[in-house]
Amino acid sequence: MTAGVCSARDAVRRIRALLAEPAEPLAEPFLLGTLAAVAQWADELDEAERLVDRALLGRTFSVLHPMHHALHNIRTDLAAARGAWDWVLAASRARSAALRQPSPANGDAHALIALVETGRTREAQHFAEGFDLREAPDSWELNRFLYARGLLRAASGETTAALHDFLECGRRQASRTVVSPVVTPWRSAAALCRFALGSRDEAVALAEAELRLARVWGTPRPLGRALRVLGVVTGRLELLREAVELLRDSPADTELIEALLSYGRALRAAGDDAAGLPALREAAGRADQAGALRLRAEAETALGTKGPAGPAGASGAVLTAGEHRIARLASEGRTNSEIAAQLHLALRTVETHLTHAYRKLGIRRRGELTRARGAGVRG
């Protein structure tokens, strides 16, 4: 599967056949964990979760058991696939409190991505700097962290450094005969960096290679991502439209938001605001509901509706337009439910924006927003 030579359907069928056979009790957790990993990569997230629960049910694993770490890794993969960034970060904090490791683990990679997606770039940079990758032993988890750090660097405008991380991740993956994008989609990420740096031919070659491999696997998430990136670097609207349509059947909403953003931008660049604006508005709404503040900010910028940023708080971070607007309404005495109704947002989105605004402003409670208004939240 990871060598990119079989489809998701075939992989799931073969693992299910193994699981249906009589198995020794000691072997069953390994079979369940393997099928859970395959199901997660195959976009069958609910089944993967059931398999993890089944593997853990009634068993007390030692932390040294080979499947203890693996099953918890799959749970983190599932949360990340669903964009449950708060869960990912809480699990990362709990793991760090229990066992601080000098080398980054899979959960650390997901935590880094979670910080980027929720708009906490400075916190993400500080978190990434806590690991000296020169001292880290070679492992698939290190490769995953290199990919995550590349996403951070790309979001921070460090395109050349991001490209280095993606290519190094790919080199290390290839040395393990791990080429399928279901593991780490480094080619798509590197293609966007190449394109941003003006190397269109290299970008297209990477994107086409990723699409070939994604077609072998055949599930919406990697295939939609590959179509989106190839559409961006070639300017082909039909690829972006296909990515959007395909990802509507994926349980991973983040990929659909990215596709809607790319499609909306391309339509507007082609002069078709009538089709481009609805795509961008849908992306903004979905990003709000998911608490994906990075994508929400990108959608606002693409729509031309991004307002002035709020003040820099104690952390040095600046409020996004959404955080600024919600913090202002909260400081005026409106409840979270009233704010959600006024701005047509999900209640969870309002709560997430306020939590991030508190952190950035260095305050702990709603009553302190009045003081913060004097520092620039008013506007």
Side-chain angles (χ1 to χ4, degrees), residues 142-196:
L142 173 59
N143 299 346
R144 183 71 62 84
F145 193 83
L146 280 167
Y147 173 76
R149 192 177 70 175
L151 294 179
L152 166 63
R153 287 174 162 176
S156 303
E158 301 174 39
T159 309
T160 301
L163 177 62
H164 178 273
D165 278 346
F166 295 138
L167 294 178
E168 179 63 12
C169 171
R171 184 190 69 78
R172 289 170 177 267
Q173 294 285 66
S175 71
R176 295 168 171 266
T177 323
V178 177
V179 300
S180 175
V182 301
V183 182
T184 309
W186 64 270
R187 291 178 192 81
S188 285
L192 292 175
C193 289
R194 289 284 195 200
F195 186 67

Side-chain angles (χ1 to χ4, degrees), residues 73-89:
N73 267 334
I74 295 169
R75 274 197 165 151
T76 304
D77 291 342
L78 288 167
R82 289 173 169 140
W85 304 123
D86 289 344
W87 190 98
V88 170
L89 291 169

